[in-house]
Structure formats: structure tokens, C-alpha cells
Amino acid sequence: MFFVDTLEFEGLGNRSYLAGGPDAAVVVDPPRDIDQVIATAARRGVRIAYVAETHVHNDYVTGGPALARTTGARYLVPAGASVRFDRTPVGDGDSITVDEGLVLRAMATPGHTPHHMSYVLEEDGRPVTAFTGGSLLIGAVGRPDLVEPRLTESLARAQHASAHRLADALDDDVRVLPTHGFGSFCSSSQFEGDATTIGAERKNNDALILDVDTFVAELLAGLDDVPAYYAHMGPANSSGPAPIDLTPPRSADAEEIASRLAAGEWVVDLRHRVAFAEGHVAGSFNFEGEGKLATYLAWLIPWGKPVTLLASTPEQIAAAQRELARVGIDRPAAAATGEPSTWVREDERPASFRRARFADLAEVRARGEQVVVLDVRRDSERSAGYVDGSVHIPVHEVHGRLGEVPAGEVWVHCAGGMRAAIAASLLDAAGREVVAVDDAFTAAGEGGLSLTAPVAID
């Protein structure tokens, strides 16, 4: 009997897999922090014989080279990938025996990247699972615009062909196990679901339902912003990432925190947005450790800028350090734990700002008070409807466009509250009077605000 263990990374919206038999296993698309992969294999009592990459990743730093070196496994990388390290090139149709009766067969599925490879796991000659990486996802496909703008349309067409190749070659009951698609910005769109099969995708995936021209037109029209840090992931993965270093960062006191802020470095408070609003170090930014920390901090921070982490406990610092290392933000400059009162100097007090609901904003407007409403959702979200008179700056652009926010008290909102908290902290650090709307956007209309609905197109 074979097994497949899933390693989930919710912050990045990705998964890796350990699959094998009684004695040996393969790891597909490993994370940079390989210790958990090794621990999973140890619990299974299996040897990691192979490490397989579906493609050179654009959204996280791979642990493939380090895992292969540490375990002595063969490192399988698509032959068409341009990399500068030792590996075993894999071509379309190549097969690798993982364990007795268990074979991994490579299937070229370009589209997410030109060199993309899926791997079909066969038990006694029968396909049972397809590791599809950034090709066929749950109700979607991997986006085709992360490599080179001139290739985007041709890669979109390749995605359609690759999805059909998988569907034509595999039976309905074959499980589809993608790397992306669980909140990752590598997915062309976001769909609900935790598991799927070839049969389910035949019924639900546009790549298998629509003709190629319609599919490509809709796919390209739906592409949203690409996180800025993606530009650094491909080069890091092509050259072979350095081993991860998760030793605790040095401890910073109030004087050092103040000095780092004065030097223009980033001080990031990992606590929940409610706690941050109630009290924080003036000038610090709020990126919740329990939210999409790596995605949004890596997206917003000037690349290479030193970062100091603040949290309630050392465990929260360690978890954040691990997640940030997955996207190449290594070795925090310093860290501090405890409460805001211990992070500020004796002659200073923690800063704070207000939180509110959409109903509160409606009351303020009803009284005739003039406030700025700042919508920090993405373009695609705003196109579905927005608060009348609101200013729109996506959260990942706020730091560079602070000067465009009109004068006055700023009520900032997103779709749920987390991104609004990030933007509110950026505005607060810049000296603006801010109110963070911590509410679901569905409550905006219910709370009495006038909304502009999307324009219907016949």
C-alpha cells in the first residue's frame, strides 16, 4: 500500500507532499524549512529517496537542494529548467521507481512555466495520484504571467492543453494534488475546496470546460496583481538557495527599537490587530502573525530592508521567522517579546488608534462629518462594488502612495479587517489620524452605507 502525506503552508497557500511505500518515499515541491519534512518521513519510518520539483517556483524559496543534500536523495528537476546546481534532469515520460510496485512518471505540463512537470504516481502500473504543481489546480490553473510578459498568452494556451493532457491520460478517480491553489497568488483564481480528482475537474474546471480561445480570454482578463517579492524567488531558486537558519534573533530593548526606527528600518508587530490598535510602538507596522504574514510583509517591505519583530511570546517570533524565511526574508535584525509598555522608552507611551464597524462609518456620514474612506482591497475586489466616495489604493501600494491619501481623518477598510489593519498602521506611523474598520465588507450595505455596484455587461 502506498501513502501520501500533505504538508500544508496556509500562510503562502501552498502544499508539499511526501509519498511512498513501506521503505522509501519521494518529496514533491518541498518548503525551505526541511526539518518538518524529515520529521514526517521519520514518523513514517521511510527513507527519502527522491526529491521532485514540478517547476522553478516564483512564490517561495525551495528546500529541494538542501533536502537532497541532507538525505542523500536524488534531486529531480524538469530538464528544461535553467538552474545552476547539480540535479537529475527529468523529461517527459521518464519513470522513477520509488518503492516496490510504486513508480513516479513524469508528464510535461507547461503553462505555469515553460518547463513545468507533473508527476503521476502509479501503483502496480495503475495511476492513483497526480502531483500537478502549478498546472491543474482545484477549479483553476496556475497563472501564466509570472515568467515573462511576452510569454503570457502562449503559456495560457499551454495551460489549457496541459489540463486536457492530464484529463485525457488519467481516470476520473485519480486524485489531483496541486502545490498551489489554497490561497496562493500563483493560482489564476481562488476556489473553495480541499481535495479533488480528475473527474471533479472535468466538471468544474474552466480549462476542461471552455474552448481554448474563451478560456484564454477569461484567464487573462482575471489576472490580478503579482506580489512584488515574486521577482526575487525565481532567481533564488535557480541558483540554489542557501540553507535556512532558524536560530533565534538577538533580543532588542526599547532603546534599540527606537534606534532602528530612527534609522528607517522596519519594526513589525505580529500581534492581533485588536491588540495593536489598543497600544503599540509609534512607527511600527502591524502584520498579524496568524494572517498571511509572509505574503503581505514580503510584498510591502523594500527588499533587503532590516526587520525587527515584536510579539507576545518567543514562540510567535519563531513561527514568524520560519514563515518569513520561506520567502527569503532571512535573519530578523532583532526581536522583542512581551507588551508594548516594555518596548517603548521610559519617557514614552504606546501609541493607539480607533477601530470601528461599517455601521459606525454610516453614522459618521449621516451626521455630515467629512472623513476620508480608504479602500485597500485589490482591483478585482473593488470592481465588484465599493463604498460611494471612497478612495482606492490597494494595500500593497499604500506605503508608496501615502501622499495621495486626502487630508483628514482616514477610515480604512478591506474585505475583512486584516489588510485594513496593515494600512492603518502604515498611516498611523506616518502621523495620520486613522480609524481601522474591522468588519466584513458585506456589512457595508447592511450598515447603511451607499454602495456603487458593478456595471452589468450584457
Side-chain angles (χ1 to χ4, degrees):
M1 289 291 293
F2 74 97
F3 71 88
V4 178
D5 289 339
T6 300
L7 291 82
E8 189 163 3
F9 308 99
E10 294 182 6
L12 293 175
N14 288 327
R15 291 179 176 178
S16 298
Y17 303 95
L18 174 75
D23 300 314
V26 58
V27 179
V28 181
D29 290 343
R32 192 180 184 195
D33 45 327
I34 63 173
D35 55 325
Q36 60 186 313
V37 181
I38 294 171
T40 302
R43 286 192 293 270
R44 281 282 184 181
V46 296
R47 173 176 59 89
I48 296 176
Y50 299 94
V51 177
E53 301 280 13
T54 57
H55 60 293
V56 175
H57 302 281
N58 285 289
D59 63 329
Y60 69 91
V61 179
T62 181
L67 183 59
R69 285 193 303 267
T70 300
T71 62
R74 286 178 61 190
Y75 189 26
L76 311 177
V77 177
S82 178
V83 295
R84 296 184 293 279
F85 49 77
D86 292 334
R87 86 286 191 196
T88 299
V90 178
D92 184 43
D94 287 352
S95 61
I96 300 96
T97 299
V98 178
D99 207 338
E100 186 175 353
L102 203 60
V103 171
L104 195 69
R105 192 173 305 279
M107 181 180 292
T109 49
H112 186 47
T113 64
H115 60 268
H116 192 282
M117 193 75 66
S118 295
Y119 298 95
V120 178
L121 189 66
E122 300 177 352
E123 184 182 41
D124 297 328
R126 181 177 67 90
V128 289
T129 300
F131 300 102
T132 55
S135 182
L136 190 65
L137 311 183
I138 299 178
V141 295
R143 58 193 298 169
D145 60 330
L146 303 181
V147 178
E148 158 61 50
R150 292 171 296 181
L151 298 178
T152 297
E153 182 174 348
S154 63
L155 287 177
R157 292 181 178 277
Q159 278 291 48
H160 187 272
S162 292
H164 280 267
R165 186 182 188 204
L166 287 164
D168 292 345
L170 303 174
D171 293 336
D172 281 354
D173 62 349
V174 174
R175 286 194 299 168
V176 175
L177 299 180
T179 299
H180 307 311
F182 309 94
S184 167
F185 280 87
C186 271
S187 177
S188 60
S189 57
Q190 300 301 325
F191 283 80
E192 296 296 325
D194 188 60
T196 193
T197 62
I198 289 292
E201 292 310 301
R202 289 188 209 276
K203 299 176 182 177
N204 301 315
N205 198 306
D206 281 351
L208 298 174
I209 297 172
L210 303 176
D211 66 85
V212 62
D213 290 333
T214 303
F215 168 77
V216 169
E218 293 189 3
L219 175 62
L220 299 184
L223 294 175
D224 215 328
D225 294 320
V226 178
Y229 73 91
Y230 277 24
H232 305 281
M233 301 297 97
N237 288 327
S238 294
S239 61
I244 196 169
D245 180 0
L246 296 178
T247 54
R250 62 189 303 276
S251 180
D253 59 16
E255 286 293 341
E256 181 174 349
I257 292 170
S259 295
R260 291 190 177 279
L261 283 168
E265 298 182 10
W266 278 37
V267 174
V268 171
D269 191 325
L270 302 168
R271 295 174 303 143
H272 190 272
R273 54 186 178 269
V274 174
F276 182 87
E278 290 176 349
H280 56 269
V281 178
S284 63
F285 303 141
N286 183 213
F287 290 81
E288 291 181 356
E290 297 298 320
K292 287 186 170 293
L293 170 66
T295 294
Y296 284 105
L297 179 54
W299 197 340
L300 271 69
I301 192 171
W303 200 250
K305 176 80 73 174
V307 59
T308 294
L309 302 178
L310 308 178
S312 299
T313 68
E315 290 76 16
Q316 292 167 339
I317 295 291
Q321 182 179 353
R322 178 180 289 269
E323 185 160 347
L324 292 175
R326 291 173 184 156
V327 293
I329 299 180
D330 290 326
R331 305 301 309 143
T337 57
E339 299 294 333
S341 60
T342 66
W343 301 335
V344 297
R345 293 174 291 197
E346 290 185 4
D347 59 340
E348 297 173 341
R349 298 181 63 183
S352 64
F353 54 75
R354 289 183 293 151
R355 296 169 52 251
R357 302 288 187 180
F358 280 111
D360 301 318
L361 176 58
E363 290 182 10
V364 167
R365 281 190 159 185
R367 292 196 298 265
E369 296 182 30
Q370 299 299 310
V371 298
V372 179
V373 179
L374 177 62
D375 180 351
V376 298
R377 296 174 301 159
R378 295 189 301 277
D379 291 344
S380 59
E381 295 172 285
R382 186 171 171 88
S383 67
Y386 56 88
V387 176
D388 286 351
S390 60
V391 176
H392 180 227
I393 303 177
V395 66
H396 58 275
E397 298 178 10
V398 170
H399 188 251
R401 298 174 59 186
L402 289 170
E404 298 178 31
V405 180
E409 182 178 84
V410 184
W411 288 59
V412 56
H413 80 85
C414 60
M418 182 192 72
R419 288 173 294 172
I422 294 173
S425 72
L426 298 173
L427 289 160
D428 176 71
R432 298 297 301 270
E433 185 175 0
V434 63
V435 179
V437 178
D438 194 356
D439 206 355
F441 186 72
T442 52
E446 298 168 1
L449 289 167
S450 178
L451 304 181
T452 296
V455 178
I457 300 176
D458 295 329

